[in-house]
Amino acid sequence: MELPNLDKARKRTKNKVEEINYELNDLYKNIGKNKTFYVKTYGCQMNEHDSENIEGLLESIGFKKNNDMEEADIIILNTCSIRENAHNKAFGMLGRLKHLKEMRPNTIVALCGCMAQEEVVVSEILEKHKHVNFVFGTHNLYDLPRLIYENMHNVKTNICVKSVEGDLVEGLPVKRVSKFKAYVNIIYGCDKFCTYCIVPYTRGKQRSRKMEDILNEVNELKENGYQEVTLLGQNVNAYGKDLDLGYDLADLLEEVAKTNIPRVRFITSHPWDFTDRMIEVIKKYDNIMKYVHLPVQSGSDKILKLMGRRYTKDAYKTLFNKLKEIDGISITTDIIVGFPGETEEDFLDTLDIVKYCKYDGAFTFIYSPRVGTPAAKLFEKDETTLEEKEQRLYRLNELINSYSLESNKRMLNNEYQILVEGLSNKDGMMYGYTETNKLVNFKGNEDLIGKIVNIRIIDAKSFSLDGELVE
Ligand code: 5AD
Ligand code: SF4
């Protein structure tokens, strides 16, 4: 049994990525017969989609989904490492599962996802959470049937985590949450190594799927009535760079648009890899949604440099302005406050870029040190107090929310198309998203779920809109 190792996971070679075609071993086919599973997912869309593969794998070996965790025969936690609070949530859940396992000792408890790739986490599990049956890493999803089988025959904690650059697995079964919108991976891993970020260690090197595999998946989704695909990657704009096949994200977007699936989205974009050709393709096709998530992280050149982001505030603004030329575009961002060494002046530069860009929305975070990343060492010498950082976050959010509201108000009385997703939390209301990814609540009936309808906006708030159906 080998523990995960961040030093090994940091290595990048020119070795060719191995492509694996998944096939289920007959030995495992019925091991889940008359048993049920419960998968709990933390973190980003990548994890959400991995859970769709995990559920697909579990069903392929006979398990059925159970919506009640307490009743399930196998419980899998698909975890996230991005910030400390994600860690805490997963460990909190492990505590709960300890009690559950005392009452139902035969329940299998497994942990996977990004936390499984961290040696500190796995050591803690081995020491303090002996009720966990096994841990499997982000590079080992396809090993799940084997691990369950082995566990049923030998009840030791089993660590199955590879600290490698990663391979590419095609043909994993998938049980999609939605019948009309789907995630499609286009590139795994990340080679940017922003100094605060754990992802390049937990997800391995940048590796793109072949365009033909992606197009086959999109075409199949379209034939099955899907209305929307979201092309997924930590940095989708780097798509194709590792393949040397002469195509990039601009080419891929164009080919996906040509399948005529009604809506094409893509996340997340890194400013460094955004080319003019990509912008032209987004402009050219009506079914490529006019929505870009463009993390800026900070507005201070000094902090951007310490973060290893590879662009300056001015370069970001130039790209932002080019994107703004796309008719009707909506742009959102991610911002970290309290990166080690961030002064009040640096923070004011961040407020400044927010004032300049007037984002449609933003995810904002307080810097959270991640063991093994370069910024964690800077954090040891950081003098800014948590209170100051919380104050900065508060000030930033006030500003962000005022611009979100402003951008939503500009939509008042206009008509937009939304893809209806389901019943909203509000009584008797339905909800869906505009092409620009804005949440709209409206009165309608359930027959509309999965359809694209016209809506007039009648009220605007910071985080959502109210609308009415236009016949
Ligand atoms: N601390 C705080 N926020 C982080 N992010 C990534 N790593 C950290 C960290 N260590 C944020 C970035 C990224 C988003 C997904 O999470 O803003 O874009
Ligand atoms: Fe993390 Fe930077 Fe890669 Fe995004 S681009 S996943 S922030 S290292």
Side-chain angles (χ1 to χ4, degrees):
M1 181 182 69
E2 200 180 329
L3 287 183
N5 180 315
L6 287 182
D7 279 334
K8 274 196 199 163
R10 181 182 293 127
K11 299 241 160 61
R12 292 293 186 265
T13 67
K14 293 237 178 311
N15 294 347
K16 216 173 157 307
V17 172
E18 193 191 341
E19 218 180 283
I20 298 171
N21 263 307
Y22 174 79
E23 263 178 70
L24 178 62
N25 184 327
D26 283 346
L27 192 60
Y28 313 137
K29 260 187 182 147
N30 282 311
I31 55 176
K33 204 166 166 214
N34 300 325
K35 293 188 175 11
T36 64
F37 69 81
Y38 182 92
V39 179
K40 172 88 186 150
T41 311
Y42 301 88
C44 65
Q45 291 92 345
M46 201 70 72
N47 262 17
E48 283 175 31
H49 188 44
D50 280 353
S51 286
E52 293 185 327
N53 286 132
I54 290 169
E55 295 202 356
L57 282 162
L58 290 166
E59 288 201 342
S60 75
I61 53 175
F63 285 92
K64 295 253 175 332
K65 188 177 172 108
N66 195 329
N67 291 322
D68 185 355
M69 181 177 83
E70 320 247 318
E71 294 289 317
D73 298 287
I74 177 162
I75 300 170
I76 297 184
L77 304 187
N78 188 6
T79 62
C80 168
S81 299
I82 199 92
R83 284 169 293 274
E84 190 60 35
N85 58 355
H87 259 233
N88 295 345
K89 276 190 210 155
F91 273 113
M93 181 56 102
L94 279 184
R96 246 181 89 187
L97 292 178
K98 189 168 196 166
H99 298 295
L100 195 139
K101 220 167 148 162
E102 277 159 14
M103 317 226 276
R104 306 186 71 220
N106 290 331
T107 313
I108 296 179
V109 173
L111 183 140
C112 66
C114 286
M115 280 171 70
Q117 296 295 137
E118 290 182 86
E119 54 211 81
V120 277
V121 170
V122 175
S123 306
E124 186 168 341
I125 288 175
L126 284 173
E127 233 174 80
K128 297 193 196 143
H129 297 275
K130 299 199 170 18
H131 58 295
V132 173
N133 293 72
F134 61 88
V135 174
F136 60 112
T138 57
H139 303 294
N140 299 75
L141 287 192
Y142 61 91
D143 274 324
L144 183 59
R146 176 176 65 83
L147 290 166
I148 297 175
Y149 178 86
E150 287 177 3
N151 218 266
M152 284 172 167
H153 293 84
N154 159 21
V155 193
K156 271 198 317 215
T157 301
N158 200 338
I159 309 293
C160 185
V161 180
K162 292 192 265 185
S163 298
V164 290
E165 299 183 311
D167 36 34
L168 227 139
V169 186
E170 290 293 340
L172 279 184
V174 58
K175 177 183 162 60
R176 296 189 184 273
V177 171
S178 166
K179 297 264 175 291
F180 48 87
K181 54 185 254 184
Y183 291 128
V184 174
N185 284 322
I186 64 166
I187 179 166
Y188 300 95
C190 182
D191 286 349
K192 286 284 180 288
F193 286 97
C194 301
T195 58
Y196 51 80
C197 188
I198 190 88
V199 168
Y201 307 80
T202 60
R203 291 270 168 186
K205 90 166 162 191
Q206 201 165 279
R207 46 210 202 279
S208 304
R209 286 178 76 195
K210 298 250 163 56
M211 176 146 26
E212 102 191 44
D213 291 328
I214 297 168
L215 292 175
N216 286 342
E217 189 172 342
V218 174
N219 277 315
E220 196 185 318
L221 288 163
K222 187 181 170 243
E223 276 158 30
N224 287 317
Y226 277 79
Q227 300 290 310
E228 180 178 296
V229 289
T230 300
L231 309 180
L232 273 189
Q234 305 299 341
N235 170 18
V236 286
N237 294 58
Y239 174 75
K241 286 190 168 183
D242 52 304
L243 288 176
D244 278 337
L245 291 173
Y247 52 71
D248 67 5
L249 182 71
D251 303 294
L252 178 71
L253 275 178
E254 185 145 36
E255 292 308 313
V256 173
K258 283 186 192 158
T259 65
N260 283 329
I261 189 140
R263 289 179 156 204
V264 181
R265 297 189 185 283
F266 54 95
I267 39 169
T268 291
S269 293
H270 189 296
W272 173 259
D273 296 306
F274 226 121
T275 64
D276 291 352
R277 262 191 72 228
M278 290 171 194
I279 299 177
E280 287 314 308
V281 172
I282 299 170
K283 275 188 197 157
K284 185 167 161 196
Y285 291 91
D286 285 344
N287 60 342
I288 301 182
M289 297 298 96
K290 307 301 180 251
Y291 167 67
V292 176
H293 185 60
L294 193 71
V296 65
Q297 312 296 3
S298 167
S300 148
D301 282 342
K302 178 191 102 191
I303 297 297
L304 285 171
K305 194 151 192 216
L306 287 173
M307 286 177 162
R309 288 293 288 180
R310 308 167 188 223
Y311 54 81
T312 59
K313 185 183 190 181
D314 281 346
Y316 182 92
K317 282 182 181 172
T318 305
L319 172 63
F320 182 89
N321 288 331
K322 282 188 198 165
L323 285 167
K324 270 289 176 185
E325 282 170 17
I326 304 173
D327 215 18
I329 189 124
S330 145
I331 302 178
T332 56
T333 200
D334 290 343
I335 297 171
I336 298 175
V337 301
F339 185 86
E342 183 190 76
T343 60
E344 174 66 17
E345 202 186 347
D346 296 317
F347 175 66
L348 290 176
D349 282 340
T350 296
L351 292 185
D352 200 48
I353 201 155
V354 171
K355 285 177 194 157
Y356 183 87
C357 296
K358 302 187 172 58
Y359 292 105
D360 289 89
F363 298 102
T364 56
F365 315 100
I366 291 181
Y367 169 74
S368 171
R370 311 284 69 219
V371 175
T373 60
K377 293 195 188 73
L378 299 177
F379 181 72
E380 288 166 15
K381 291 178 253 146
D382 190 31
E383 285 173 359
T384 315
T385 63
L386 182 59
E387 287 70 30
E388 278 174 88
K389 294 183 182 186
E390 284 169 347
Q391 267 302 314
R392 284 180 196 167
L393 185 69
Y394 178 82
R395 287 156 67 197
L396 175 64
N397 285 342
E398 291 283 291
L399 190 65
I400 293 282
N401 296 347
S402 71
Y403 288 123
S404 306
L405 181 62
E406 213 172 85
S407 105
N408 283 350
K409 277 193 172 155
R410 278 197 295 275
M411 296 171 72
L412 272 173
N413 302 319
N414 295 333
E415 278 180 32
Y416 298 92
Q417 290 199 322
I418 68 167
L419 172 57
V420 184
E421 298 214 349
L423 277 174
S424 127
N425 290 333
K426 285 179 154 185
D427 268 351
M429 302 284 268
M430 309 288 296
Y431 77 96
Y433 287 88
T434 63
E435 300 202 339
T436 53
N437 214 30
K438 307 239 184 191
L439 172 62
V440 183
N441 293 300
F442 68 101
K443 271 209 188 78
N445 64 51
E446 290 182 42
D447 300 348
L448 298 176
I449 294 176
K451 301 213 165 76
I452 293 175
V453 298
N454 284 324
I455 292 281
R456 181 177 303 106
I457 303 301
I458 54 174
D459 195 14
K461 292 156 226 166
S462 278
F463 305 110
S464 70
L465 299 146
D466 287 341
E468 61 187 13
L469 265 175
V470 180
E471 294 305 330

